[in-house]
Amino acid sequence: MAKMEVKTSLLDNMIGVGDMVLLEPLNEETVINNLKKRFDHSEIYTYIGSVVISVNPYRSLPIYSPEKVEDYRNRNFYELSPHIFALSDEAYRSLRDQDKDQCILITGESGAGKTEASKLVMSYVAAVCGKGAEVNQVKEQLLQSNPVLEAFGNAKTVRNDNSSRFGKYMDIEFDFKGDPLGGVISNYLLEKSRVVKQPRGERNFHVFYQLLSGGSEELLNKLKLERDFSRYNYLSLDSAKVNGVDDAANFRTVRNAMQIVGFMDHEAESVLEVVAAVLKLGNIEFKPESRVNGLDESKIKDKNELKEICELTGIDQSVLERAFSFRTVEAKQEKVSTTLNVAQAYYARDALAKNLYSRLFSWLVNRINESIKAQTKVRKKVMGVLDIYGFEIFENADNSFEQFIINYCNEKLQQIFIELTLKEEQEEYIREGIEWTHIEYFNNAIICDLIENNTNGILAMLDEECLRPGTVTDETFLEKLNQVCATHQHFESRMSKCSRFLNDTSLPHSCFRIQHYAGKVLYQVEGFVDKNNDLLYRDLSQAMWKASHALIKSLFPEGNPAKINLKRPPTAGSQFKASVATLMKNLQTKNPNYIRCIKPNDKKAAHIFNEGLVCHQIRYLGLLENVRVRRAGYAFRQAYEPCLERYKMLCKQTWPHWKGPARAGVEVLFNELEIPVEEYSFGRSKIFIRNPRTLFKLEDLRKQRLEDLATLIQKIYRGWKCRTHFLLMRKSQIVIAAWYRRYAQQKRYQQIKSSALVIQSYIRGWKARKILRELKHQKRCQEAATTIAAYWHGTQARRELKRLKEEARRKHAVAVIWAYWLGLKVRREYRKFFRANAGKKIYEFTLQRIMQKYFLEMKNKVPSLSPIDKNWPSRPYLFLDSTHKELKRIFHLWRCKKYRDQFTDQQKLIYEEKLEASELFKDKKALYPSSVGQPFQGPYLEINKNPKYKKLKDAIEEKIIIAEVVNKINRANGKSTNRIFLLTNNNLLLADQKSGQIKSEVPLVDVTKVSMSSQNDGFFAIHLKEGSEAASKGDFLFSSDHLIEMATKLYRTTLSQTKQKLNIEISDEFLVQFRQDKVCVKFIQGNQKNGSVPTCKRKNNRLLEVAVP
């Protein structure tokens, strides 16, 4: 995707009007048309002065990249096209440079993009603030708090797939450099009624679906849950699956975010157990049962669900069952216990589920605050981000208590918005020395008073009805409203005594209407009293407090019998009113920045702009009135320097450079352009332009002048380009001519040189051939003389040889005759003795010849000298069987000796260790066969050669037998830490891998035993002597890839030093001493997520489980 053009001003290449203060004419139609035009061109942000209007595009746009962050970083607010980054940068720089606390108020209806806007603000601030390990950790924790709160506080509605069902205000705290230190989150009015009931087409909170979709089978079994959504009454089925939403992946994201924020494993498990308990509460059903006295009471149909809830929460089943069937009312010294009918039991069940989830959410917010709060006590700068529900108007009188207090909050926000906007305008006029004129606007304080007045306000009367003894219903509350508010100009009802509305049949009997600043809203009075009461029976609170589950017990402190308070708890309305008052007080101490979010259509689809829907939101957001307030005095203002820089080309005196003050240059410019004096005013640092038409006239003149300047620049550039081209051609021609002349001379020289060489070669050849002929003649003469002499010498030699042969034949004949004569004499003398010993001599001679033949054949068939060669020649004769075997044995011993004679002393030691390892581990440890082919190296780390471990080397004076990095298993949670394992002649040492610092030193006399499993893993435990100094923290549990070598060397070294054999225990279960506790280490077979690597996990205080693949 091509990089989008970076604009140098808000007014450059403007689509529609970037700042609607400049819109002309100003009415609803032009505002809507301007927003639509910009929306169609993917310009989703528009300004109203310093207010950002954001239209949800329902698609990804390439306007949030790191490059965009750099574009808007440290830039003037109006310098680039409208963007949420511009407002974020302005707020951050004001906080950092001017030491002003900031707040960013994000409002709009559900689906307008408020949550995404708050994420963009936080991500921008995280990107532009400082760097560093601690700063990055704080930023990551602040950002990762969002997925956790969204999972527990957001839900899918008909308007938005990720709708925030609570109001969130986050104070981000910074130090004097502008680096984040931490934050504090406040939540307002969680829609807890959604836990037990959801409108058609909507879902419960995300976390329920994420848990069932993404939880492992082991986790679901532990929580006693099933993956099927239809098994739970609190989950709506028509919208259980949302297109484009992967609940399983989101669950993994939430678990990871909880870990980053700082949740411990047991805390995360406790939270999920509470979520599971809420789910299962919805499956409890009741049946009516009549008592003897005629009263109806309720009984639980199936107690299996109740049993599982009690197992999850650690509550006695009988206590919780009674709390669902009876209600105890205390008054001073009296206690009255009454039975609950089926309707009351269902109300109690739902009230418990809502309170349990609501309090869990508040606990989550407080727990996150503990993790992300600033750790230092230095003075802090604060930036607040308010993401709160917008004004809500439902059709068909579906507006209830929740919409009433939401709209009350928006009335307060509108009130503070108008006040702060006017205050900001007035302060700027005073600061610039411009005369301030009073601005007429609608003050909605009368509406706020109608709702919050302590005497006759709607909330006060609602609290009064809830506290009044006797029968209290929604109808009695409405009657009281008709009496007290009948004459109020912003209140209407069918039974009102104001004669204007007596004939208004559009008002139902059970409704009242309030004229809000955003329009009339019809409220259904049904449920007002119950929702305001927000009542949870004391029996249920006490049952929850009795739970052995630590988290649940902490959520219900009022259930403690020792702290029983008979005073009625504050109502939901009064609590919310106090929260809003605190919020307003907080906002008034900060510099406000506003983001108004608009939803373009109800279909959540891109490229669709519903003008009617947008018009409705423009009205209740008060955008038109905002524009009128902003432009009531002067529509546009700009500092003198950028103004002069932008329009200086319109005047000859200021173009191209103005030498003098910028204000004087602007005065000369405006006088030259003959702009009427009443159209502008000069402030101390800015020029103020009254009418947008004046600004657009300046822009048109500037555009025309820029075209003229562009033509001039083109003309000068083309002339320069032609001259440059001519000079380049001329220079090139001179260079080419010079190179050609050089080439021609070089070629002529080469031709002359070649001719001289040819002539020289012919002359040298003639001389050489002449000398050769002379030499050949001399050689032939010498060869002839040599041949004649050789023939003569050969004749003489043959004659002498013939004489010598004749003499030798004569001598040989004499010797033969003499030998025959002597043999004849001997045969005649011994013939009489020969026949008696002939058989024995023939046998011995034959046997001797057979043995001679056997040994000669064995000489040629002897196998190789390898000791592992099993080949041996077959036996030729049966009588040689014992000789053949003995010879094989002698030969094998001889070649083994020859092979051993080749070993060095170090190799002999290695083979002795291998033999020792075979005796210790063969057929006992599954890991042993894979270690046979691996040589035992000992000091793998080469500490003597590595300068990193110089300090460690200096600290050890003994010879190092083993130096290897092992994984030391943490006693608390089963996680591993890298340590350097050192074995010397007398000690066993552990050192930190990074720093080389020695952590533990154990004398070998204190080592009593080594334990390991029989499986294919590297885990082993070193047991220490009880009472020794080294055993104060308990035994050691390690994991190593060289287990066999380490155990063998430890065994041999201990035997050498202590003269006692070290006990090697091989078992799949063994005990390890950790401080004062004995922990069982158990090895099991299991499928690993990380491949073939064994994993260790602390199951409880007495069991450490190692999963081996």
Side-chain angles (χ1 to χ4, degrees):
M1 183 177 292
K3 185 178 179 181
M4 298 183 68
E5 178 188 0
V6 177
K7 301 177 182 179
T8 58
S9 172
L10 174 69
L11 301 172
D12 285 338
N13 304 322
M14 190 164 56
I15 298 170
V17 178
D19 188 346
M20 287 199 290
V21 174
L22 305 177
L23 196 60
E24 193 68 29
L26 178 62
N27 52 53
E28 270 188 1
E29 184 179 356
T30 56
V31 170
I32 294 171
N33 290 339
N34 185 58
L35 290 175
K36 185 176 187 303
K37 184 176 182 180
R38 293 178 62 78
F39 178 81
D40 292 340
H41 288 82
S42 298
E43 293 284 347
I44 63 170
Y45 294 114
T46 308
Y47 290 156
I48 298 178
S50 60
V51 178
V52 175
I53 309 301
S54 171
V55 183
N56 192 343
Y58 287 116
R59 60 192 175 101
S60 297
L61 294 176
I63 58 175
Y64 306 110
S65 61
E67 292 79 10
K68 273 290 180 183
V69 172
E70 289 302 318
D71 288 343
Y72 282 87
R73 187 173 186 173
N74 294 328
R75 302 292 285 268
N76 184 275
F77 185 76
Y78 296 102
E79 192 171 346
L80 301 178
S81 59
H83 202 291
I84 194 172
F85 286 170
L87 180 137
S88 304
D89 187 73
E90 183 77 10
Y92 176 70
R93 285 193 293 114
S94 297
L95 175 136
R96 182 192 63 192
D97 302 336
Q98 301 176 21
D99 204 17
K100 292 182 180 178
D101 288 350
Q102 304 289 316
C103 65
I104 298 176
L105 280 67
I106 306 171
T107 56
E109 72 172 51
S110 179
K114 301 187 298 299
T115 302
E116 287 302 316
S118 66
K119 290 180 185 177
L120 289 171
V121 170
M122 293 180 65
S123 64
Y124 179 84
V125 173
V128 300
C129 62
K131 300 293 187 289
E134 293 184 4
V135 174
N136 289 338
Q137 182 182 3
V138 172
K139 292 193 291 188
E140 187 66 15
Q141 286 186 336
L142 290 173
L143 293 175
Q144 290 299 326
S145 65
N146 280 326
V148 180
L149 294 179
E150 284 185 14
F152 287 85
N154 288 23
K156 188 262 182 192
T157 65
V158 292
R159 297 184 176 186
N160 185 2
D161 290 343
N162 188 31
S163 176
S164 298
R165 307 317 298 163
F166 70 103
K168 182 178 75 172
Y169 177 74
M170 173 182 281
D171 267 336
I172 308 173
E173 299 173 338
F174 298 83
D175 63 8
F176 69 96
K177 303 188 300 295
D179 295 340
L181 297 173
V184 179
I185 299 173
S186 301
N187 64 300
Y188 300 95
L189 191 66
L190 177 72
E191 188 190 11
K192 58 186 179 182
S193 60
R194 182 172 292 270
V195 174
V196 299
K197 184 179 180 182
Q198 307 89 42
R200 181 175 297 276
E202 298 190 2
R203 297 203 313 176
N204 210 322
F205 292 102
H206 291 325
V207 67
F208 296 113
Y209 304 92
Q210 291 173 358
L211 173 59
L212 296 181
S213 300
S216 63
E217 292 296 337
E218 180 184 359
L219 176 62
L220 294 182
N221 292 335
K222 182 179 179 181
L223 299 178
K224 307 184 185 303
L225 295 176
E226 299 179 21
R227 210 173 288 280
D228 185 9
F229 296 156
S230 62
R231 290 278 293 110
Y232 304 100
N233 297 332
Y234 279 166
L235 300 184
S236 60
L237 301 179
D238 54 342
S239 300
K241 295 290 184 181
V242 181
N243 294 332
V245 175
D246 188 349
D247 288 320
N250 291 340
F251 181 70
R252 293 190 291 272
T253 302
V254 171
R255 291 299 299 268
N256 183 56
M258 293 178 75
Q259 188 174 6
I260 292 174
V261 170
F263 282 81
M264 304 296 290
D265 289 342
H266 71 275
E267 290 178 324
E269 291 177 3
S270 297
V271 169
L272 294 180
E273 287 170 353
V274 176
V275 172
V278 171
L279 263 182
K280 300 185 76 64
L281 273 174
N283 291 351
I284 295 179
E285 296 183 348
F286 302 93
K287 60 183 179 180
E289 187 172 297
S290 298
R291 302 181 68 182
V292 178
N293 57 8
L295 296 176
D296 289 337
E297 68 172 291
S298 60
K299 291 291 183 181
I300 297 175
K301 288 183 180 180
D302 184 5
K303 296 185 180 180
N304 186 49
E305 293 285 354
L306 181 66
K307 178 183 176 183
E308 292 182 349
I309 292 172
C310 293
E311 291 174 356
L312 275 174
T313 58
I315 302 174
D316 187 355
Q317 183 174 343
S318 61
V319 172
L320 188 57
E321 184 177 1
R322 175 175 175 79
F324 280 134
S325 301
F326 293 88
R327 178 188 179 189
T328 302
V329 179
E330 297 185 22
K332 295 183 180 180
Q333 302 301 322
E334 297 182 4
K335 284 187 179 180
V336 178
S337 180
T338 59
T339 59
L340 301 180
N341 57 31
V342 172
Q344 292 171 332
Y346 277 116
Y347 173 84
R349 179 201 68 177
D350 291 345
L352 177 60
K354 290 188 291 185
N355 271 272
L356 190 58
Y357 190 84
S358 174
R359 297 183 188 204
L360 172 65
F361 186 78
S362 299
W363 180 89
L364 279 171
V365 173
N366 293 332
R367 180 63 183 82
I368 292 173
N369 285 338
E370 288 179 11
S371 296
I372 66 176
K373 67 180 179 181
Q375 301 300 321
T376 59
K377 296 183 179 181
V378 298
R379 183 176 177 273
K380 308 176 186 70
K381 304 176 183 180
V382 178
M383 177 185 289
V385 179
L386 177 64
D387 172 10
I388 201 162
Y389 13 65
F391 205 89
E392 288 192 353
I393 305 176
F394 295 151
E395 298 178 356
N396 303 323
D398 286 337
N399 304 291
S400 187
F401 179 73
E402 291 85 0
Q403 284 68 46
F404 174 73
I405 57 176
I406 285 172
N407 293 344
Y408 160 61
C409 180
N410 277 270
E411 286 284 358
K412 297 293 289 182
L413 288 174
Q414 175 68 9
Q415 185 181 24
I416 195 172
F417 170 70
I418 296 295
E419 290 177 359
L420 293 178
T421 301
L422 289 174
K423 180 181 178 183
E424 183 184 359
E425 282 285 295
Q426 186 175 8
E427 286 177 352
E428 184 171 19
Y429 278 39
I430 295 172
R431 188 169 57 249
E432 293 294 328
I434 304 295
E435 183 180 355
W436 170 257
T437 56
H438 179 70
I439 298 173
E440 293 293 336
Y441 67 96
F442 170 67
N443 189 346
N444 68 336
I446 187 172
I447 304 174
C448 296
D449 185 71
L450 169 65
I451 298 173
E452 67 181 5
N453 189 285
N454 292 330
T455 315
N456 52 8
I458 295 177
L459 286 176
M461 287 185 285
L462 181 59
D463 287 349
E464 186 179 329
E465 278 296 298
C466 292
L467 298 174
R468 181 173 61 84
T471 304
V472 177
T473 63
D474 296 318
E475 288 73 18
T476 60
F477 166 62
L478 183 59
E479 289 177 5
K480 188 157 191 171
L481 287 183
N482 291 334
Q483 295 173 7
V484 178
C485 304
T487 58
H488 200 285
Q489 57 181 336
H490 290 273
F491 177 84
E492 305 172 10
S493 76
R494 190 181 184 101
M495 301 302 294
S496 172
K497 295 182 180 179
C498 185
S499 60
R500 289 183 299 152
F501 309 121
L502 289 177
N503 299 323
D504 188 354
T505 56
S506 65
L507 277 169
H509 289 282
S510 60
C511 296
F512 64 91
R513 182 187 292 153
I514 294 179
Q515 174 71 48
H516 288 282
Y517 78 94
K520 294 183 178 180
V521 182
L522 184 66
Y523 295 104
Q524 173 62 253
V525 77
E526 182 181 351
F528 262 61
V529 173
D530 285 341
K531 292 176 180 178
N532 188 52
N533 266 324
D534 193 22
L535 188 60
L536 178 69
Y537 296 150
R538 184 175 287 111
D539 301 74
L540 290 171
S541 298
Q542 293 176 349
M544 293 296 104
W545 189 83
K546 292 177 182 177
S548 60
H549 194 284
L551 176 57
I552 293 180
K553 186 169 185 175
S554 68
L555 296 180
F556 293 87
E558 74 277 12
N560 187 350
K563 299 181 180 179
I564 291 180
N565 186 2
L566 300 181
K567 185 178 178 181
R568 192 181 184 94
T571 61
S574 60
Q575 291 180 33
F576 187 73
K577 177 182 173 183
S579 299
V580 169
T582 304
L583 176 63
M584 295 303 115
K585 185 178 180 181
N586 191 356
L587 295 180
Q588 285 177 340
T589 63
K590 295 179 174 60
N591 185 47
N593 302 271
Y594 298 95
I595 301 173
R596 305 295 206 186
C597 298
I598 292 178
K599 181 169 63 173
N601 60 77
D602 279 328
K603 298 179 181 179
K604 295 179 276 192
H607 307 293
I608 299 177
F609 191 90
N610 187 327
E611 295 185 9
L613 179 63
V614 173
C615 178
H616 172 68
Q617 294 173 80
I618 287 174
R619 287 175 183 169
Y620 76 65
L621 286 174
L623 299 187
L624 206 57
E625 185 164 300
N626 189 2
V627 177
R628 291 194 181 102
V629 169
R630 189 67 173 79
R631 63 185 287 181
Y634 292 90
F636 183 77
R637 71 283 319 262
Q638 191 175 26
Y640 290 123
E641 287 80 3
C643 180
L644 181 61
E645 184 68 25
R646 184 168 183 81
Y647 301 112
K648 64 182 180 179
M649 72 286 298
L650 301 181
C651 177
K652 293 181 179 180
Q653 299 179 49
T654 58
W655 177 258
H657 301 292
W658 169 257
K659 296 180 181 178
R663 173 170 177 167
V666 175
E667 290 178 355
V668 170
L669 175 65
F670 274 56
N671 291 332
E672 180 75 17
L673 296 176
E674 297 181 352
I675 297 176
V677 179
E678 62 273 9
E679 285 297 318
Y680 62 89
S681 290
F682 291 105
R684 292 189 176 92
S685 63
K686 296 180 181 179
I687 182 168
F688 289 74
I689 298 176
R690 188 178 300 277
N691 201 308
R693 285 192 296 272
T694 304
L695 180 64
F696 293 144
K697 178 183 176 182
L698 288 173
E699 285 297 312
D700 291 340
L701 292 173
R702 179 178 180 273
K703 183 177 180 182
Q704 182 61 42
R705 180 58 177 159
L706 286 177
E707 291 177 357
D708 296 340
L709 290 174
T711 304
L712 178 62
I713 292 170
Q714 286 177 348
K715 180 181 72 173
I716 296 172
Y717 172 73
R718 287 169 182 159
W720 170 83
K721 187 175 181 182
C722 290
R723 284 193 302 275
T724 304
H725 183 67
F726 166 74
L727 293 174
L728 181 61
M729 292 290 289
R730 183 170 175 271
K731 183 180 179 181
S732 300
Q733 186 271 334
I734 294 172
V735 172
I736 292 170
W739 277 89
Y740 175 74
R741 285 193 293 272
R742 177 186 176 188
Y743 166 75
Q745 290 298 323
Q746 287 178 340
K747 187 174 182 182
R748 184 169 176 272
Y749 165 75
Q750 291 293 339
Q751 289 175 349
I752 295 171
K753 183 179 178 182
S754 178
S755 301
L757 290 174
V758 169
I759 294 171
Q760 286 177 353
S761 65
Y762 272 98
I763 293 174
R764 291 190 184 104
W766 173 76
K767 288 183 177 181
R769 285 191 296 274
K770 183 179 177 181
I771 295 171
L772 179 62
R773 283 194 298 271
E774 294 175 354
L775 292 174
K776 282 184 177 180
H777 178 70
Q778 293 177 4
K779 184 177 180 182
R780 278 196 296 271
C781 293
Q782 291 175 358
E783 286 178 350
T786 303
T787 302
I788 293 170
Y791 272 97
W792 166 249
H793 292 150
T795 303
Q796 291 292 97
R798 282 190 294 274
R799 288 176 182 175
E800 180 66 20
L801 178 63
K802 185 176 180 181
R803 186 185 67 76
L804 292 173
K805 282 184 177 181
E806 186 65 26
E807 185 177 352
R809 271 197 300 273
R810 289 177 186 153
K811 290 181 179 181
H812 180 67
V814 172
V816 170
I817 293 171
W818 175 250
Y820 270 96
W821 165 246
L822 291 177
L824 179 62
K825 287 178 69 177
V826 170
R827 283 192 296 276
R828 285 177 180 175
E829 185 176 354
Y830 288 97
R831 184 175 293 163
K832 54 186 176 183
F833 302 107
F834 177 73
R835 290 177 181 171
N837 299 320
K840 181 178 179 182
K841 289 185 176 292
I842 292 171
Y843 171 76
E844 291 176 353
F845 176 78
T846 304
L847 191 63
Q848 184 179 6
R849 293 296 297 168
I850 289 173
M851 293 295 290
Q852 184 180 7
K853 182 180 178 182
Y854 168 70
F855 283 115
L856 289 174
E857 289 178 352
M858 285 296 293
K859 176 183 178 182
N860 298 327
K861 296 181 181 179
V862 170
S864 66
L865 294 180
S866 173
I868 61 174
D869 189 356
K870 302 295 184 181
N871 295 324
W872 185 253
S874 60
R875 180 193 61 206
Y877 302 102
L878 182 62
F879 74 90
L880 293 175
D881 182 57
S882 60
T883 303
H884 194 69
K885 291 180 181 179
E886 182 65 18
L887 190 62
K888 178 180 179 181
R889 186 184 68 80
I890 294 171
F891 177 78
H892 181 68
L893 293 175
W894 172 78
R895 67 182 178 183
C896 287
K897 182 179 182 303
K898 295 283 287 184
Y899 185 76
R900 289 195 302 273
D901 291 343
Q902 300 174 4
F903 291 165
T904 63
D905 293 340
Q906 183 178 2
Q907 288 176 322
K908 289 180 180 179
L909 180 62
I910 291 175
Y911 278 98
E912 288 176 2
E913 290 177 346
K914 285 287 185 180
L915 184 61
E916 192 82 62
S918 174
E919 294 175 356
L920 291 174
F921 301 110
K922 187 176 181 182
D923 299 329
K924 300 176 183 178
K925 177 71 176 173
L927 188 65
Y928 171 73
S930 63
S931 71
V932 173
Q934 299 177 357
F936 288 174
Q937 298 182 17
Y940 289 91
L941 291 184
E942 297 183 345
I943 291 177
N944 295 332
K945 299 180 181 179
N946 194 336
K948 177 180 177 182
Y949 301 118
K950 183 177 184 303
K951 182 178 178 182
L952 182 60
K953 172 192 170 185
D954 296 340
I956 301 174
E957 299 178 354
E958 301 177 273
K959 178 185 176 183
I960 296 175
I961 301 173
I962 291 179
E964 165 66 337
V965 176
V966 300
N967 292 325
K968 178 177 177 294
I969 308 305
N970 191 303
R971 302 175 173 91
N973 52 20
K975 295 184 178 179
S976 61
T977 306
N978 288 343
R979 289 285 186 266
I980 299 176
F981 184 96
L982 298 170
L983 177 63
T984 65
N985 289 331
N986 296 307
N987 297 294
L988 186 153
L989 301 97
L990 292 178
D992 186 82
Q993 185 184 7
K994 295 181 179 178
S995 64
Q997 181 181 358
I998 296 177
K999 296 291 188 180
S1000 301
E1001 183 172 358
V1002 181
L1004 291 182
V1005 296
D1006 291 342
V1007 179
T1008 60
K1009 183 172 65 173
V1010 176
S1011 299
M1012 63 189 73
S1013 73
S1014 63
Q1015 304 186 35
N1016 192 17
D1017 63 275
F1019 284 85
F1020 67 100
I1022 295 180
H1023 302 270
L1024 305 180
K1025 184 186 296 182
E1026 292 186 6
S1028 63
E1029 182 180 353
S1032 60
K1033 293 184 178 180
D1035 300 338
F1036 293 105
L1037 184 60
F1038 301 108
S1039 172
S1040 173
D1041 295 336
H1042 302 95
L1043 167 62
I1044 301 299
E1045 178 182 359
M1046 296 176 74
T1048 303
K1049 287 183 180 290
L1050 181 60
Y1051 177 84
R1052 287 173 60 84
T1053 307
T1054 305
L1055 179 62
S1056 173
Q1057 295 300 318
T1058 64
K1059 308 304 180 184
Q1060 295 181 356
K1061 291 185 178 180
L1062 181 65
N1063 184 16
I1064 305 293
E1065 178 186 0
I1066 300 177
S1067 173
D1068 287 344
E1069 284 191 26
F1070 53 81
L1071 294 177
V1072 179
Q1073 183 76 31
F1074 282 168
R1075 293 190 183 276
Q1076 304 302 323
D1077 300 328
K1078 285 189 179 291
V1079 178
C1080 176
V1081 181
K1082 183 177 182 181
F1083 293 80
I1084 61 170
Q1085 298 285 337
N1087 296 326
Q1088 304 300 309
K1089 296 181 180 178
N1090 52 354
S1092 60
V1093 180
T1095 57
C1096 181
K1097 188 173 183 181
R1098 187 76 178 258
K1099 303 300 287 185
N1100 51 52
N1101 291 337
R1102 299 293 181 180
L1103 178 61
L1104 196 65
E1105 195 172 85
V1106 180
V1108 182

